Coordinates of all heavy atoms in Angstrom, one line a residue:
M97 N 133.8 100.0 88.4 CA 133.7 101.3 88.9 C 134.3 102.3 87.9 O 135.3 102.0 87.3 CB 134.5 101.4 90.3 CG 134.2 102.7 91.0 SD 134.8 102.7 92.7 CE 136.5 102.7 92.5
S98 N 133.8 103.5 87.9 CA 134.2 104.5 86.9 C 135.2 105.4 87.5 O 135.2 105.6 88.7 CB 132.9 105.3 86.5 OG 133.3 106.4 85.8
D99 N 136.0 106.0 86.7 CA 136.9 107.0 87.1 C 136.4 108.4 86.7 O 137.1 109.4 86.9 CB 138.3 106.9 86.4 CG 139.1 105.7 87.0 OD1 138.8 105.3 88.2 OD2 139.9 105.1 86.3
R100 N 135.2 108.4 86.2 CA 134.5 109.7 85.8 C 134.3 110.6 87.1 O 133.9 110.1 88.1 CB 133.2 109.3 85.2 CG 132.4 110.5 84.7 CD 131.2 110.1 83.9 NE 130.5 111.3 83.5 CZ 129.2 111.3 83.2 NH1 128.6 110.1 83.2 NH2 128.6 112.4 82.8
P101 N 134.5 111.9 86.9 CA 134.3 112.8 88.1 C 132.9 112.7 88.5 O 131.9 112.7 87.7 CB 134.7 114.1 87.5 CG 135.6 113.9 86.3 CD 135.1 112.6 85.8
I102 N 132.7 112.6 89.8 CA 131.4 112.4 90.4 C 130.5 113.6 90.1 O 129.3 113.5 89.8 CB 131.5 112.2 91.9 CG1 132.1 110.8 92.1 CG2 130.1 112.2 92.6 CD1 132.6 110.6 93.6
K103 N 131.0 114.8 90.1 CA 130.2 116.0 89.8 C 129.6 116.0 88.4 O 128.7 116.7 88.1 CB 131.0 117.3 90.1 CG 132.2 117.5 89.1 CD 132.9 118.7 89.5 CE 134.2 118.9 88.6 NZ 135.0 120.0 89.0
E104 N 130.2 115.2 87.5 CA 129.6 115.1 86.1 C 128.6 114.0 86.0 O 127.9 113.9 84.9 CB 130.8 114.8 85.1 CG 131.7 116.0 85.0 CD 132.9 115.7 84.1 OE1 132.9 114.6 83.5 OE2 133.8 116.5 84.1
M105 N 128.4 113.2 87.0 CA 127.4 112.1 86.9 C 126.0 112.5 87.2 O 125.8 113.4 87.9 CB 127.8 111.0 88.0 CG 129.0 110.3 87.8 SD 129.3 109.1 89.1 CE 130.8 108.3 88.6
S106 N 125.1 111.8 86.5 CA 123.7 112.0 86.8 C 123.4 111.4 88.1 O 124.2 110.6 88.6 CB 122.8 111.4 85.7 OG 122.9 110.0 85.8
F107 N 122.3 111.6 88.7 CA 121.9 111.0 90.0 C 121.9 109.5 89.8 O 122.4 108.7 90.6 CB 120.5 111.5 90.4 CG 119.9 110.7 91.6 CD1 120.4 111.0 92.8 CD2 119.0 109.7 91.4 CE1 119.9 110.3 93.9 CE2 118.5 109.0 92.5 CZ 119.0 109.4 93.8
E108 N 121.3 109.0 88.7 CA 121.2 107.5 88.4 C 122.6 106.9 88.3 O 122.8 105.8 88.9 CB 120.4 107.3 87.2 CG 118.9 107.6 87.3 CD 118.6 109.1 87.2 OE1 119.5 109.9 86.8 OE2 117.5 109.5 87.5
E109 N 123.5 107.6 87.6 CA 124.9 107.0 87.5 C 125.6 107.0 88.9 O 126.2 106.0 89.2 CB 125.7 107.9 86.5 CG 125.3 107.8 85.1 CD 125.9 108.9 84.2 OE1 126.1 110.0 84.7 OE2 126.3 108.6 83.1
A110 N 125.4 108.0 89.6 CA 126.0 108.1 91.0 C 125.4 107.0 91.9 O 126.2 106.3 92.6 CB 125.8 109.5 91.6
M111 N 124.1 106.8 91.8 CA 123.5 105.7 92.6 C 124.0 104.3 92.2 O 124.4 103.5 93.1 CB 122.0 105.7 92.5 CG 121.3 106.8 93.3 SD 121.6 106.5 95.1 CE 120.8 105.0 95.4
R112 N 124.1 104.1 90.9 CA 124.6 102.8 90.4 C 126.1 102.6 90.9 O 126.4 101.5 91.4 CB 124.6 102.7 88.9 CG 123.2 102.3 88.4 CD 123.3 102.0 86.9 NE 123.7 103.1 86.0 CZ 122.9 104.0 85.5 NH1 121.6 103.9 85.8 NH2 123.3 105.0 84.8
E113 N 126.9 103.6 90.8 CA 128.3 103.4 91.2 C 128.3 103.3 92.8 O 129.1 102.5 93.3 CB 129.1 104.6 90.8 CG 130.6 104.4 91.2 CD 131.6 105.1 90.4 OE1 131.3 105.6 89.3 OE2 132.7 105.3 90.9
L114 N 127.5 104.0 93.5 CA 127.5 103.8 94.9 C 127.1 102.4 95.3 O 127.7 101.8 96.2 CB 126.5 104.9 95.6 CG 126.4 104.8 97.1 CD1 127.7 105.0 97.8 CD2 125.4 105.9 97.6
E115 N 126.1 101.9 94.6 CA 125.7 100.5 94.9 C 126.9 99.5 94.6 O 127.1 98.5 95.3 CB 124.5 100.1 94.1 CG 123.2 100.8 94.6 CD 122.0 100.7 93.6 OE1 122.2 100.1 92.5 OE2 120.9 101.1 94.0
A116 N 127.6 99.8 93.5 CA 128.7 98.9 93.2 C 129.8 99.0 94.3 O 130.4 98.0 94.7 CB 129.3 99.3 91.8
V117 N 130.1 100.2 94.7 CA 131.1 100.4 95.8 C 130.7 99.7 97.1 O 131.5 98.9 97.7 CB 131.3 101.9 96.1 CG1 132.0 102.2 97.4 CG2 132.0 102.6 94.9
V118 N 129.4 99.8 97.5 CA 128.9 99.1 98.7 C 129.1 97.6 98.5 O 129.5 96.9 99.4 CB 127.5 99.5 99.0 CG1 126.9 98.7 100.0 CG2 127.4 101.0 99.4
G119 N 128.7 97.1 97.3 CA 128.8 95.7 97.0 C 130.3 95.2 97.2 O 130.5 94.1 97.8
Q120 N 131.2 95.9 96.7 CA 132.6 95.6 96.8 C 133.1 95.6 98.2 O 133.8 94.7 98.7 CB 133.5 96.5 95.9 CG 133.4 96.2 94.4 CD 134.3 97.2 93.7 OE1 134.1 98.4 93.6 NE2 135.4 96.6 93.2
L121 N 132.7 96.6 99.0 CA 133.1 96.7 100.4 C 132.4 95.6 101.2 O 133.1 95.0 102.1 CB 132.7 98.1 100.9 CG 133.6 99.2 100.4 CD1 133.0 100.6 100.9 CD2 135.0 99.1 100.9
E122 N 131.2 95.3 100.9 CA 130.5 94.2 101.7 C 131.1 92.8 101.4 O 131.1 92.0 102.2 CB 129.0 94.2 101.3 CG 128.3 95.3 102.0 CD 126.8 95.3 101.7 OE1 126.4 94.7 100.7 OE2 126.1 96.0 102.4
A123 N 131.6 92.6 100.1 CA 132.2 91.4 99.8 C 133.5 91.1 100.6 O 133.8 90.0 100.9 CB 132.5 91.3 98.3
G124 N 134.1 92.2 100.9 CA 135.3 92.1 101.7 C 136.5 91.5 101.1 O 137.4 91.0 101.8
D125 N 136.5 91.4 99.8 CA 137.7 90.7 99.1 C 138.6 91.7 98.4 O 139.2 91.4 97.4 CB 137.2 89.7 98.1 CG 136.2 90.3 97.1 OD1 135.9 91.5 97.2 OD2 135.9 89.5 96.1
V126 N 138.7 92.9 98.9 CA 139.6 93.9 98.4 C 140.7 94.3 99.5 O 140.4 94.2 100.7 CB 138.9 95.2 97.9 CG1 138.1 95.0 96.6 CG2 138.0 95.8 99.0
A127 N 141.8 94.6 99.0 CA 142.9 95.0 99.9 C 142.6 96.2 100.7 O 141.7 97.0 100.3 CB 144.2 95.2 99.1
L128 N 143.2 96.4 101.8 CA 143.0 97.5 102.7 C 143.0 98.9 102.0 O 142.1 99.7 102.1 CB 143.9 97.5 103.9 CG 143.8 98.6 104.9 CD1 142.4 98.6 105.5 CD2 144.8 98.6 106.0
E129 N 144.1 99.1 101.3 CA 144.2 100.4 100.6 C 143.1 100.6 99.6 O 142.6 101.8 99.5 CB 145.6 100.5 99.9 CG 146.8 100.6 100.8 CD 146.7 101.9 101.7 OE1 146.4 103.0 101.2 OE2 147.0 101.8 102.9
E130 N 142.7 99.6 98.9 CA 141.6 99.7 97.9 C 140.3 99.9 98.7 O 139.4 100.7 98.2 CB 141.5 98.5 97.0 CG 140.4 98.5 96.1 CD 140.5 99.5 94.9 OE1 141.5 100.2 94.9 OE2 139.5 99.6 94.2
S131 N 140.1 99.3 99.8 CA 138.9 99.5 100.6 C 138.8 100.9 101.1 O 137.7 101.5 101.0 CB 138.9 98.6 101.9 OG 138.8 97.3 101.5
I132 N 139.9 101.5 101.5 CA 139.9 102.9 101.9 C 139.6 103.8 100.7 O 138.7 104.7 100.9 CB 141.3 103.3 102.5 CG1 141.5 102.6 103.8 CG2 141.4 104.8 102.7 CD1 142.9 102.7 104.3
R133 N 140.1 103.6 99.6 CA 139.8 104.4 98.4 C 138.3 104.2 98.0 O 137.7 105.2 97.7 CB 140.7 103.9 97.2 CG 140.6 104.8 96.0 CD 141.5 104.3 94.8 NE 140.9 103.2 94.2 CZ 139.8 103.2 93.4 NH1 139.2 104.3 93.1 NH2 139.4 102.1 92.8
L134 N 137.8 103.0 98.1 CA 136.4 102.8 97.8 C 135.5 103.5 98.8 O 134.5 104.1 98.4 CB 136.1 101.3 97.8 CG 136.6 100.5 96.6 CD1 136.4 99.0 96.8 CD2 135.8 100.9 95.3
Y135 N 135.9 103.4 100.0 CA 135.1 104.1 101.1 C 135.0 105.6 100.8 O 134.0 106.2 100.9 CB 135.7 103.8 102.5 CG 134.8 104.3 103.6 CD1 133.7 103.6 104.1 CD2 135.1 105.6 104.1 CE1 132.9 104.2 105.1 CE2 134.3 106.1 105.1 CZ 133.2 105.4 105.6 OH 132.5 105.9 106.6
E136 N 136.2 106.2 100.5 CA 136.2 107.6 100.3 C 135.4 108.0 99.1 O 134.6 109.0 99.1 CB 137.7 108.1 100.1 CG 138.5 108.0 101.4 CD 140.0 108.2 101.1 OE1 140.5 108.1 100.0 OE2 140.7 108.5 102.1
R137 N 135.5 107.2 98.0 CA 134.7 107.5 96.8 C 133.2 107.3 97.1 O 132.3 108.1 96.7 CB 135.1 106.6 95.6 CG 134.3 107.0 94.4 CD 135.1 106.6 93.1 NE 134.4 106.9 91.9 CZ 134.5 108.0 91.2 NH1 135.3 108.9 91.6 NH2 133.8 108.1 90.1
G138 N 132.9 106.3 97.9 CA 131.5 106.0 98.3 C 130.9 107.2 99.1 O 129.8 107.6 98.9
A139 N 131.7 107.8 100.0 CA 131.3 108.9 100.8 C 130.9 110.1 99.9 O 129.9 110.8 100.2 CB 132.3 109.2 101.8
V140 N 131.7 110.3 98.9 CA 131.5 111.5 98.0 C 130.3 111.2 97.2 O 129.4 112.0 96.9 CB 132.7 111.8 97.1 CG1 132.4 112.9 96.1 CG2 133.9 112.1 98.0
L141 N 130.1 109.9 96.7 CA 128.9 109.5 95.9 C 127.7 109.7 96.8 O 126.7 110.2 96.3 CB 129.1 108.1 95.4 CG 130.0 107.9 94.3 CD1 130.4 106.4 94.2 CD2 129.4 108.4 93.0
K142 N 127.7 109.3 98.0 CA 126.6 109.4 98.9 C 126.2 110.8 99.1 O 125.0 111.2 99.0 CB 126.9 108.8 100.2 CG 125.7 108.9 101.2 CD 126.2 108.5 102.6 CE 125.1 108.8 103.7 NZ 125.1 110.2 104.0
A143 N 127.2 111.7 99.3 CA 126.9 113.1 99.5 C 126.3 113.7 98.2 O 125.3 114.5 98.3 CB 128.2 113.9 99.9
R144 N 126.8 113.3 97.1 CA 126.2 113.8 95.8 C 124.7 113.4 95.7 O 123.9 114.2 95.3 CB 127.0 113.3 94.6 CG 126.4 113.4 93.3 CD 126.7 114.7 92.6 NE 126.5 114.7 91.2 CZ 125.3 115.0 90.6 NH1 124.3 115.5 91.3 NH2 125.2 115.0 89.3
C145 N 124.5 112.1 95.9 CA 123.1 111.6 95.8 C 122.2 112.3 96.8 O 121.1 112.7 96.5 CB 123.1 110.1 96.0 SG 123.8 109.2 94.6
Q146 N 122.7 112.4 98.0 CA 121.9 113.1 99.1 C 121.5 114.5 98.7 O 120.4 115.0 98.9 CB 122.6 113.0 100.4 CG 121.8 113.5 101.6 CD 122.4 113.2 102.9 OE1 123.5 112.7 103.0 NE2 121.8 113.6 104.0
K147 N 122.5 115.2 98.2 CA 122.3 116.6 97.8 C 121.2 116.7 96.7 O 120.4 117.6 96.7 CB 123.6 117.3 97.4 CG 123.5 118.7 97.0 CD 124.9 119.3 96.6 CE 124.8 120.7 96.1 NZ 126.0 121.2 95.7
T148 N 121.3 115.8 95.7 CA 120.4 115.8 94.6 C 119.0 115.5 95.1 O 118.0 116.1 94.7 CB 120.8 114.8 93.6 OG1 122.1 115.1 93.1 CG2 119.8 114.8 92.4
L149 N 118.9 114.5 96.1 CA 117.5 114.2 96.6 C 117.0 115.3 97.4 O 115.8 115.6 97.3 CB 117.7 112.9 97.5 CG 117.8 111.6 96.7 CD1 118.0 110.5 97.7 CD2 116.5 111.3 95.9
E150 N 117.8 116.0 98.2 CA 117.3 117.1 99.0 C 116.8 118.2 98.1 O 115.8 118.9 98.4 CB 118.4 117.6 99.9 CG 118.6 116.7 101.1 CD 119.9 117.0 101.9 OE1 120.6 118.0 101.6 OE2 120.1 116.3 102.9
A151 N 117.5 118.5 97.0 CA 117.1 119.5 96.0 C 115.7 119.1 95.4 O 114.9 120.0 95.2 CB 118.1 119.7 95.0
A152 N 115.6 117.8 95.1 CA 114.3 117.4 94.5 C 113.2 117.5 95.5 O 112.1 117.9 95.1 CB 114.5 115.9 94.0
E153 N 113.5 117.1 96.7 CA 112.4 117.2 97.8 C 112.0 118.7 98.0 O 110.8 118.9 98.2 CB 112.9 116.6 99.1 CG 113.0 115.1 99.1 CD 113.6 114.6 100.3 OE1 114.1 115.4 101.2 OE2 113.7 113.3 100.5
A154 N 112.9 119.6 97.9 CA 112.6 121.0 98.0 C 111.7 121.5 96.9 O 110.9 122.4 97.1 CB 113.9 121.8 98.1
K155 N 111.8 120.9 95.7 CA 111.0 121.3 94.6 C 109.6 120.6 94.6 O 108.7 121.1 94.0 CB 111.7 120.9 93.3 CG 112.9 121.7 93.0 CD 113.6 121.3 91.8 CE 114.9 122.1 91.5 NZ 115.6 121.7 90.3
V156 N 109.5 119.5 95.3 CA 108.2 118.8 95.3 C 107.3 119.5 96.2 O 107.5 119.7 97.3 CB 108.4 117.3 95.7 CG1 107.0 116.6 95.9 CG2 109.3 116.5 94.8
A157 N 106.2 119.9 95.7 CA 105.2 120.6 96.5 C 103.8 120.1 96.1 O 103.5 119.7 95.0 CB 105.3 122.1 96.2
K158 N 102.9 120.2 97.0 CA 101.5 119.8 96.8 C 100.8 121.0 96.4 O 100.8 122.0 97.1 CB 101.0 119.1 98.0 CG 99.5 118.7 97.9 CD 99.1 117.9 99.1 CE 99.1 118.7 100.3 NZ 98.6 118.1 101.5
I159 N 100.1 121.0 95.3 CA 99.3 122.1 94.9 C 98.0 122.2 95.7 O 97.3 121.2 95.8 CB 99.0 122.1 93.4 CG1 100.3 122.1 92.6 CG2 98.0 123.2 93.0 CD1 100.1 122.0 91.1
T160 N 97.7 123.3 96.3 CA 96.5 123.4 97.0 C 95.5 124.2 96.2 O 95.9 125.0 95.3 CB 96.8 124.2 98.3 OG1 97.3 125.5 98.0 CG2 97.7 123.4 99.2
A161 N 94.2 123.9 96.4 CA 93.2 124.6 95.6 C 92.1 125.0 96.5 O 91.8 124.4 97.5 CB 92.6 123.6 94.5
D162 N 91.4 126.1 96.1 CA 90.3 126.6 96.8 C 89.1 125.8 96.4 O 89.2 124.9 95.5 CB 90.1 128.1 96.6 CG 89.8 128.5 95.2 OD1 89.3 127.6 94.4 OD2 89.9 129.7 94.8
P163 N 87.9 126.0 97.0 CA 86.7 125.1 96.7 C 86.4 125.2 95.2 O 85.8 124.2 94.7 CB 85.6 125.7 97.5 CG 86.4 126.3 98.7 CD 87.7 126.8 98.1
S164 N 86.7 126.2 94.5 CA 86.3 126.3 93.0 C 87.3 125.6 92.2 O 87.2 125.5 91.0 CB 86.2 127.8 92.6 OG 87.5 128.4 92.6
G165 N 88.4 125.1 92.8 CA 89.4 124.4 92.0 C 90.6 125.2 91.5 O 91.5 124.7 90.9
Q166 N 90.6 126.5 91.9 CA 91.7 127.4 91.5 C 92.9 127.1 92.4 O 92.7 127.0 93.6 CB 91.2 128.8 91.6 CG 90.2 129.2 90.6 CD 90.7 129.1 89.2 OE1 91.8 129.6 88.9 NE2 89.9 128.6 88.3
A167 N 94.0 127.1 91.8 CA 95.3 126.9 92.6 C 95.5 128.1 93.5 O 95.3 129.2 93.0 CB 96.5 126.7 91.7
T168 N 95.8 127.9 94.7 CA 96.0 129.0 95.7 C 97.4 129.1 96.1 O 97.8 130.0 96.8 CB 95.1 128.8 96.9 OG1 95.4 127.6 97.5 CG2 93.6 128.9 96.5
G169 N 98.2 128.1 95.7 CA 99.6 128.2 96.1 C 100.2 126.8 96.3 O 99.6 125.8 95.8
T170 N 101.3 126.7 96.9 CA 101.9 125.4 97.2 C 102.2 125.3 98.6 O 102.3 126.3 99.4 CB 103.2 125.2 96.3 OG1 104.1 126.2 96.7 CG2 102.9 125.3 94.9
E171 N 102.4 124.1 99.1 CA 102.9 123.8 100.4 C 103.8 122.6 100.3 O 103.7 121.8 99.4 CB 101.7 123.5 101.4 CG 100.9 122.3 101.0 CD 99.7 122.2 101.9 OE1 98.8 123.1 102.0 OE2 99.5 121.1 102.6
P172 N 104.7 122.4 101.3 CA 105.6 121.3 101.2 C 104.8 120.0 101.2 O 103.7 119.9 101.8 CB 106.4 121.4 102.5 CG 106.2 122.8 102.9 CD 104.9 123.3 102.4
L173 N 105.4 119.0 100.5 CA 104.7 117.7 100.5 C 104.6 117.1 101.9 O 103.6 116.5 102.2 CB 105.6 116.7 99.6 CG 105.0 115.4 99.3 CD1 103.6 115.5 98.7 CD2 105.9 114.6 98.5
D174 N 105.6 117.2 102.7 CA 105.6 116.7 104.1 C 105.7 117.9 105.0 O 106.8 118.3 105.4 CB 106.8 115.8 104.3 CG 106.7 114.5 103.5 OD1 105.6 114.0 103.4 OD2 107.8 114.1 103.1
P175 N 104.6 118.6 105.3 CA 104.6 119.8 106.2 C 105.2 119.5 107.5 O 105.2 118.5 108.1 CB 103.1 120.2 106.2 CG 102.3 119.1 105.7 CD 103.2 118.2 105.0

């Protein structure tokens, strides 16, 4: 696990670390205080990843076209 600030991590880095945190917690072989620290870091990592995914989903749009093939605008991918 990294001590790098979460806000400086890329989405991929944050996901890898979140997966590592979950793995450690699921293994159940860490002391209570360490489990609490891991859980807290995991919650922040999850929030970071969720925020990044929500921002990406907001950018993803399906291009709509008129019968001639000209783009007429965008609409949400999941209307």
Side-chain angles (χ1 to χ4, degrees):
M97 191 170 68
S98 168
D99 288 331
R100 185 171 174 202
I102 294 168
K103 65 183 176 182
E104 294 177 7
M105 292 181 176
S106 69
F107 173 78
E108 292 78 11
E109 291 170 323
M111 279 298 296
R112 278 192 297 273
E113 185 158 338
L114 180 57
E115 289 170 354
V117 165
V118 169
Q120 287 182 287
L121 289 170
E122 286 179 343
D125 59 352
V126 286
L128 178 60
E129 290 299 318
E130 179 67 5
S131 292
I132 293 169
R133 190 181 73 74
L134 284 169
Y135 184 84
E136 290 171 342
R137 185 154 175 95
V140 176
L141 286 161
K142 177 191 171 282
R144 163 86 161 96
C145 291
Q146 186 171 4
K147 182 178 177 182
T148 303
L149 284 174
E150 288 171 357
E153 286 175 355
K155 291 178 183 178
V156 174
K158 181 172 62 176
I159 296 175
T160 57
D162 64 18
S164 69
Q166 295 293 316
T168 59
T170 61
E171 63 184 58
L173 185 59
D174 296 320

